[in-house]
Amino acid sequence: VFIAAMGVVAQQAYDIRMYAIRDYGYVIHEFDPWFNYRATEYLAANGWHAFFHWFDYMSWYPLGRPVGTTIYPGMQITAVAIWRALGKLGSAISLNDVCCLVPAWFGVSASILVGLFAAECSGRKSAGAFAALIMAILPAHIMRSVAGGFDNESVATTALVATFYCWVRALRDRPTARDGEATADSYAFGVMCGLAYVYMVSAWGGYVFVVNMIGAHAAALAAGGRYSSKLHRAYSIFYVIGTAGATRVPPVGLAPLRSLEQMLPLLVFLGVQLLEAVEVERRKKRLTPAQVWKRRVQLAMPAAALLVVATAAILPTGYFGPLSSRVRGLFLKHTRTGNPLVDSVAEHQPGSTMMYRQYLQNVYPLVPCGFALSLLRLTDANTFLLLYGAIAYFFASKMARLVILLGPPASAFGGVALGFGFDFLIVNALLRLLGYAAEEEEEPGGKKSPAPALDVAAREEPKEALKDAPQGGNGGAGLLKSKPKPSQLAAAAKARRAESRRAETNPLGGFAAAREEAAAAVMAVADSPGGVKTRLWVGLALALATVYAYYDFHAYCHRMAEGSSRPQIMFKATYSNGQTVMVDDYREAYWWLRDKTPEDARVMAWWDYGYQITGIANRTSVADGNTWNHEHIATLGRILTAPQEEAHSYARHLADYVLVWAGGGGDDLAKSP
């Protein structure tokens, strides 16, 4: 059923992203995607070595730009690799068409990965299926993944979710692991997590969020008393592979070891080494919890002192770089980042409730419900989902463009809420009502009593030892009549003993015990005959309401997708007689520049159009969306807003032609003061 659901997800995710292709053809959209496409063409034509040594003299005249050392090349490498692979298979598809389709293809893969991620975190395949269905058409995801929108985020979202899935998968419990020992999963998926992170680094500058997210989760697990050797192996392997790979990406270099933004993961890496040393000693010497804490303090104090001394010695040398303007903007008022270009961009403004409703629509009220339900089951994987949701919400509230980070956790929480309602209120209640889950067992005194009911929170942990499935397994897995084997019961008992020993050093153990007692009390009522019928009726009512809400959500998402699929470089217009025509003035103007001006002509325009001037017209531009040089853009703005004679006295030294868009609305005249 889960695999069939993923097939539906793939179809829905692909179809909703193809509006641009159906309406406008295979056209690259907007501004930044044109630079990405031009870079992809350069890689395909000139090869790997030339690409990473490419100095572009056609942009930022007369300065130029060292593209090979300032670009995140993951998307370009991916597109060229897919294009060449399809060529080997006999396909005649062009590189332009591949670049147009890459966002749609990766939108499908990101949706499926969110389903796997949600299933792993929640322990319910039904939650994973619902989460994937939401992610497939969620506007917060579609906004950066429509066909033609060849931008970094379209590929990076898949890399982000893949990294997070491999991370939580590496932390899955195994009954064969004794006394907190490492598991095979922590090695295998630790390696995969590191490799997925390297791909993430190569694709988008948002990789800093990913490494800090995993570092914060590892630190939270250790602080919450859930440290184990599997955490050490998973994090250490991830960090070593990820950092080694990240340093090979040209724009990153040694930033993982020098940037203040990435010091937390490094400190966590050093910290887990100390914790593992104590853990090894604990197993060898059978230390008590009190002795474990004492030993941790004994190792931590000199290590902290050494760290402080080293920091004090290195800090004055300027080894550590400052926080970037965009990161400062997450913690400072948006008009105080120190970069006026960053401050002026609309998508760098703070988020709002209206924005959440726009990009999450009917999923918005489901998120708190899924978050609350996730609190009932605090496993290693589920705590990551909770932490991810909280941090992504904080960042989206500070910068509107980061609502893209909310797509995966919002979908997962929505899936948790819907999966709980489906499993607990409908499937479990119906099976119990029909007698499949109420198999009677004979007690020692000769009396018969119903078999234990499915428990939402407290009774899912033993199933991890009884069945090799995502943490907690599927919601309906505990409804089978078959009895566990003696070996499975022994493994479950061993898992409970290990959990009990870990609880002794867990500062949240009291909360967990109270939570389990409350859940048991609720289940006692819910499993009564009246409770089962009530659950079923409530579940059916909610199912009808969900179907109605989904139709509304589906229609809204398709309207949003159609609106997001407009290339901006061309658009539709309607005559007074109702006839629809395609307005292609922008591209025609660029083609005129390409065909009617000398090859070495320099074209000046607002910096927005720089990528299109070089990408479509194949002419030298004065500035573009890279915005790396404030003074150059200030000079450009001065020329375009000054009186004619003064402007010409400046412009004649920089350009042969000046491109000005006019015609009303958002034209260049509207940008003048």
Side-chain angles (χ1 to χ4, degrees):
V1 175
F2 184 78
I3 295 176
M6 293 303 102
V8 174
V9 166
Q11 185 275 328
Q12 290 288 311
Y14 186 73
D15 177 72
I16 199 172
R17 287 165 173 79
M18 294 299 289
Y19 277 107
I21 303 299
R22 290 192 289 264
D23 294 343
Y24 301 96
Y26 289 88
V27 177
I28 301 294
H29 293 190
E30 299 180 0
F31 304 107
D32 291 11
W34 275 103
F35 165 75
N36 294 326
Y37 175 64
R38 179 167 173 256
T40 306
E41 280 189 316
Y42 190 92
L43 174 62
N46 298 280
W48 189 281
H49 183 270
F51 178 77
F52 283 106
H53 293 81
W54 177 25
F55 191 94
D56 184 15
Y57 292 99
M58 292 183 63
S59 62
W60 289 91
Y61 179 85
L63 305 175
R65 176 188 172 184
V67 177
T69 57
T70 59
I71 187 176
Y72 290 95
M75 183 172 62
Q76 286 77 16
I77 295 172
T78 300
V80 172
I82 293 174
W83 175 62
R84 288 180 174 169
L86 291 175
K88 295 289 186 181
L89 296 175
S91 174
I93 189 171
S94 68
L95 183 60
N96 176 86
D97 294 356
V98 168
C99 291
C100 288
L101 292 172
V102 159
W105 291 337
F106 276 77
V108 172
S109 60
S111 301
I112 293 174
L113 284 168
V114 164
L116 296 174
F117 172 71
E120 187 67 34
C121 291
S122 67
R124 295 178 180 274
K125 290 183 179 178
S126 57
F130 283 118
L133 286 169
I134 293 172
M135 185 69 173
I137 61 175
L138 189 70
H141 183 211
I142 290 174
M143 62 182 286
R144 295 287 183 174
S145 60
V146 296
F150 189 57
D151 216 344
N152 296 72
E153 291 91 335
S154 61
V155 171
T157 301
T158 294
L160 178 146
V161 181
T163 305
F164 287 165
Y165 169 69
C166 291
W167 169 248
V168 296
R169 183 64 178 79
L171 299 179
R172 180 188 289 186
D173 285 329
R174 289 290 187 182
T176 54
R178 300 179 180 179
D179 197 17
E181 293 179 347
T183 63
D185 290 339
S186 63
Y187 287 96
F189 284 92
V191 171
M192 294 173 64
C193 183
L195 295 176
Y197 171 68
V198 172
Y199 183 62
M200 173 69 198
V201 176
S202 72
W204 189 35
Y207 75 91
V208 176
F209 171 79
V210 175
V211 68
N212 279 281
M213 187 68 247
I214 293 178
H217 181 240
L221 289 179
R226 299 189 66 88
Y227 178 81
S228 62
S229 292
K230 69 175 180 180
L231 175 63
H232 170 265
R233 301 299 192 279
Y235 187 80
S236 298
I237 294 173
F238 153 75
Y239 186 80
V240 170
I241 293 177
T243 301
T247 59
R248 306 308 301 165
V249 178
V252 178
L254 293 178
L257 304 177
R258 302 184 63 176
S259 171
L260 293 178
E261 302 161 9
Q262 301 182 57
M263 286 298 103
L264 171 63
L266 175 59
L267 293 176
V268 172
F269 174 74
L270 298 176
V272 296
Q273 309 312 314
L274 294 179
L275 291 175
E276 182 61 16
V278 176
E279 187 71 4
V280 172
E281 187 177 352
R282 178 191 68 81
R283 283 196 287 264
K284 287 183 177 180
K285 299 181 179 180
R286 304 286 183 179
L287 299 180
T288 64
Q291 291 173 323
V292 169
W293 279 105
K294 180 179 178 181
R295 189 68 182 128
R296 287 176 178 176
V297 173
Q298 289 175 341
L299 287 179
M301 291 185 67
L306 182 62
L307 184 63
V308 169
V309 171
T311 303
I314 296 175
L315 196 60
T317 66
Y319 175 82
F320 297 109
L323 295 175
S324 68
S325 60
R326 284 186 173 86
V327 172
R328 289 199 305 272
L330 297 175
F331 300 97
L332 301 174
K333 188 175 180 180
H334 68 278
T335 55
R336 300 177 182 173
T337 65
N339 186 333
L341 293 174
V342 172
D343 298 337
S344 67
V345 178
E347 62 183 14
H348 292 164
Q349 308 305 308
S352 63
T353 301
M354 182 180 297
M355 178 195 72
Y356 298 136
R357 292 190 180 278
Q358 177 184 1
Y359 290 108
L360 301 181
Q361 217 253 351
N362 287 343
V363 177
Y364 181 67
L366 285 178
V367 172
C369 299
F371 188 90
L373 288 169
S374 297
L375 289 172
L376 298 176
R377 185 172 176 275
L378 299 180
T379 62
D380 290 350
N382 219 33
T383 52
F384 180 83
L385 176 58
L386 291 167
L387 190 63
Y388 177 18
I391 294 177
Y393 172 78
F394 170 79
F395 286 144
S397 69
K398 296 295 183 179
M399 188 178 291
R401 73 173 296 181
L402 295 183
V403 71
I404 189 174
L405 298 178
L406 267 182
S411 300
F413 285 130
V416 168
L418 295 176
F420 169 80
F422 179 74
D423 286 342
F424 180 65
L425 298 178
I426 298 179
V427 175
N428 179 252
L430 184 61
L431 291 176
R432 297 187 73 83
L433 193 64
L434 296 176
Y436 288 100
E439 181 184 27
E440 293 188 336
E441 297 179 343
E442 186 170 337
E443 295 181 342
K447 300 180 180 180
K448 291 186 177 181
S449 62
L454 176 68
D455 191 315
V456 176
R459 302 180 193 176
E460 285 191 349
E461 290 295 338
K463 289 191 296 181
E464 295 176 3
L466 296 178
K467 184 178 179 181
D468 181 12
Q471 295 183 9
N474 193 5
L479 303 176
L480 302 178
K481 284 186 175 183
S482 59
K483 297 182 179 180
K485 299 178 181 179
S487 59
Q488 293 176 316
L489 292 173
K494 185 185 298 182
R496 285 193 295 270
R497 287 195 298 271
E499 184 69 21
S500 177
R501 285 191 297 270
R502 186 164 64 177
E504 292 179 357
T505 60
N506 188 351
L508 301 178
F511 169 76
R515 173 174 54 86
E516 292 185 1
E517 291 179 3
V522 170
M523 288 304 304
V525 177
D527 286 342
S528 64
V532 170
K533 293 179 181 179
T534 301
R535 275 198 282 161
L536 185 57
W537 283 113
V538 170
L540 292 176
L542 290 177
L544 292 175
T546 300
V547 171
Y548 175 80
Y550 179 77
Y551 276 112
D552 178 56
F553 177 63
H554 185 272
Y556 175 84
C557 292
H558 274 264
R559 289 195 300 272
M560 286 288 291
E562 189 171 10
S564 301
S565 297
R566 294 167 185 163
Q568 293 191 18
I569 198 170
M570 57 191 300
F571 56 91
K572 293 180 180 179
T574 305
Y575 289 141
S576 58
N577 61 4
Q579 179 185 358
T580 299
V581 295
M582 192 71 69
V583 179
D584 205 3
D585 293 353
Y586 286 95
R587 290 198 304 170
E588 289 175 358
Y590 290 127
W591 292 334
W592 185 93
L593 282 173
R594 180 194 63 192
D595 298 335
K596 303 296 184 179
T597 62
E599 291 186 3
D600 61 349
R602 303 162 299 173
V603 181
M604 176 182 291
W606 282 110
W607 57 273
D608 309 57
Y609 309 115
Y611 287 147
Q612 294 176 346
I613 290 171
T614 54
I616 306 176
N618 195 29
R619 291 297 178 264
T620 300
S621 65
V622 176
D624 55 41
N626 187 244
T627 63
W628 66 274
N629 190 305
H630 303 172
E631 291 78 9
H632 207 57
I633 289 182
T635 301
L636 178 62
R638 175 70 178 272
I639 294 173
L640 294 176
T641 57
Q644 183 174 341
E645 291 186 5
E646 179 185 352
H648 180 263
S649 66
Y650 300 141
R652 65 191 183 90
H653 298 290
L654 289 175
D656 303 303
Y657 298 87
V658 177
L659 175 64
V660 178
W661 293 105
D667 61 10
D668 289 353
L669 297 179
K671 299 175 183 178
S672 300

